[in-house]
Amino acid sequence: MTTAELPESTVADRADTQRRVVRTLVASQMLGGVGLSSGIAVGALLAEQVSGSARYAGLGGTFQVLGAALAAIPMARIMAARGRRPGLALGYVSAAIGAVGLIASGVLRNFPLLLLSSLVFGSATASNSQSRYAAADLALPHRRARDLSIVVWATTVGSVLGPNLVGPSAPVADALGLPRLVGPFVFSLVGLLLAVGVVLLRLRPDPLVEARRQRLADGAGDTEPTHGSVLRGIRVVAASPVARLGLATLALGHGVMVSVMVMTPLHMAHGHAGLTVIGFVISMHVLGMYALSPVTGAATDRFGGRVVAVAGAVILVAATLLAAAAPTGESLGLTVGLFLLGLGWSCTLVAGSTLLTAGVAPAERPGAQGAADVLMGLAAGGGGAVAGVIVDQVSFHALALTSLGFAVLIGLLALTVRTHARPARPAA
């Protein structure tokens, strides 16, 4: 039974349910984003202080990225078995435990504890990432990208508000008798616990469980259980040209963005750019990542994921060219390039997520989506690590041009891959 054949009251009820789900996910995304970005703003400084060396300052962020990738594995299984609500809550609860550990590591000056806590803290990224898929569970196909992108957009609030809580956190840390650099993690803890409460109390009905119930009620579903295995998800994606394109777009777009973004502050600092200018350039990058995501979602619904993936690739090419041509230090070209880098990533994220979701059967989506987030995390971690080597051994310009090559690959794949195949299941 199609949506057009359903009673008008049923269609209205389902639309109202989807609006409530999206509103709840937006709220949890904002709180989770505040919790995550509050701590990330001082993470490198805390790692340097605890370890006693600037050489290890980036390890905390690396462990957070790795933690996000690892957390996606159990979250996918839990979501397949019990729904989105317990899976998202698990990620936020784990991150809250990580925030407590980071506070303790600052007090005790214990670097191994800091790394372990950073690994667990990365679970917040996994929950924020999986929230976009929860927004697509009950969405009508012609609104799937738009609903997904609204939840992505909500990250803007947390990403902007979180770093601005660093200053107010100092008197809070003083009042609690804590080192000032762990003050932001107090706000992280509060934001993450509030996100847990919103998910557990307000995400009802559970969108994944309700979507399956609706398919069965409409006679459009089957009795096969929902699968959450990441390994099975990889096989499912490999069997579908649409899903393969979605995964490639996600992983390559994320790798290009992270590799250039993480080295930009260093490139600017080597040219004696001030911290204020560096902060402004990164804030413009974050603005490009999230602020226009509803526009990206509307374009994906209107023109299709493949078209938007090509557009994202073109924008990433322009961004990396501007970055490669920018002199060391500050420049208008680098600022524009970093904004476009964020916008191109937004296109690849929304288009890739939509293609991946459309390319697999509903029962296979939790596992396939979990696999996508694992591979995105690995692409980010690998891209960041390789970027440091390229900049150290060659130059930032060489890094930008290398990233340009991967951006071109996204466009070539989107232009050549057939995207009208039916949702796939793995071979027996």
Side-chain angles (χ1 to χ4, degrees):
M1 182 181 295
T2 65
T3 304
E5 296 170 327
L6 292 173
E8 186 175 343
S9 59
T10 301
V11 174
D13 288 343
R14 293 185 179 184
D16 184 60
T17 299
Q18 172 65 352
R19 282 192 292 270
R20 291 200 308 272
V21 165
V22 171
R23 285 196 298 266
T24 300
L25 292 171
V26 165
S28 67
Q29 189 84 334
M30 288 180 178
L31 293 167
V34 168
L36 187 62
S37 59
S38 296
I40 286 178
V42 297
L45 297 175
L46 179 63
E48 180 182 23
Q49 184 184 82
V50 172
S51 67
S53 172
R55 180 183 303 175
Y56 305 114
L59 283 180
T62 301
F63 271 67
Q64 285 183 28
V65 171
L66 181 60
L70 293 176
I73 298 173
M75 285 174 61
R77 285 194 172 275
I78 291 173
M79 288 178 182
R82 302 182 58 189
R84 298 288 186 188
R85 186 167 58 247
L88 295 177
L90 172 65
Y92 289 133
V93 168
S94 299
I97 295 172
V100 173
L102 286 164
I103 293 171
S105 70
V107 173
L108 301 173
R109 296 296 183 98
N110 188 313
F111 192 60
L113 177 59
L114 183 144
L115 294 180
L116 177 61
S117 300
S118 296
L119 191 75
V120 180
F121 188 68
S123 300
T125 301
S127 283
N128 278 2
S129 183
Q130 286 288 317
S131 291
R132 74 188 191 275
Y133 292 124
D137 288 332
L138 290 171
L140 296 174
H142 68 278
R143 285 191 57 92
R144 183 179 289 143
R146 193 171 310 179
D147 289 350
L148 182 152
S149 67
I150 289 172
V151 174
V152 173
W153 170 86
T155 310
T156 310
V157 177
S159 299
V160 172
L161 182 59
N164 286 296
L165 294 175
V166 173
S169 72
V172 173
D174 292 339
L176 295 174
L178 299 171
R180 287 198 166 191
L181 280 180
V182 304
F185 290 104
V186 175
F187 287 146
S188 293
L189 179 60
V190 173
L192 291 166
L193 291 176
L194 289 174
V196 172
V198 168
V199 168
L200 291 178
L201 297 176
R202 299 293 301 170
L203 194 59
R204 298 177 183 275
D206 186 290
L208 188 61
V209 175
E210 177 65 12
R212 179 171 175 80
R213 187 197 67 77
Q214 289 183 7
R215 290 196 305 274
L216 292 173
D218 296 343
D222 53 38
T223 58
E224 182 177 355
T226 304
H227 300 285
S229 166
V230 167
L231 291 178
R232 180 185 174 98
I234 292 174
R235 294 197 300 271
V236 171
V237 172
S240 166
V242 180
R244 284 201 305 269
L245 175 59
L247 177 58
T249 301
L250 285 168
L252 292 173
H254 199 52
V256 169
M257 185 276 289
V258 170
S259 60
V260 175
M261 182 268 293
V262 297
M263 288 295 110
T264 296
L266 187 66
H267 175 66
M268 297 181 69
H270 286 172
H272 307 293
L275 290 177
T276 301
V277 176
I278 294 173
F280 174 75
V281 171
I282 297 301
S283 67
M284 292 300 294
H285 170 67
V286 173
L287 186 70
M289 288 174 66
Y290 298 117
L292 296 177
S293 55
V295 177
T296 304
T300 302
D301 285 332
R302 176 75 180 272
F303 303 110
R306 187 165 71 164
V307 172
V308 175
V310 171
V314 171
I315 295 171
L316 288 175
V317 166
T320 50
L321 280 174
L322 285 171
T328 306
E330 59 184 271
S331 68
L332 177 61
L334 187 61
T335 304
V336 175
L338 265 289
F339 174 82
L340 292 177
L341 185 72
L343 180 59
W345 173 86
S346 177
C347 290
T348 58
L349 179 78
V350 174
S353 300
T354 304
L355 287 166
L356 181 81
T357 301
V360 299
E364 305 288 355
R365 285 173 185 167
Q369 291 162 349
D373 279 359
V374 168
L375 294 176
M376 280 182 67
L378 294 176
V386 173
V389 174
I390 293 176
V391 171
D392 182 60
Q393 298 296 321
V394 190
S395 67
F396 178 80
H397 308 292
L399 169 65
L401 291 175
T402 302
S403 300
L404 183 151
F406 287 102
V408 170
L409 180 59
I410 296 172
L412 292 176
L413 289 173
L415 288 171
T416 57
V417 172
R418 181 171 56 94
T419 60
H420 57 272
R422 298 172 64 183
R425 298 184 185 277

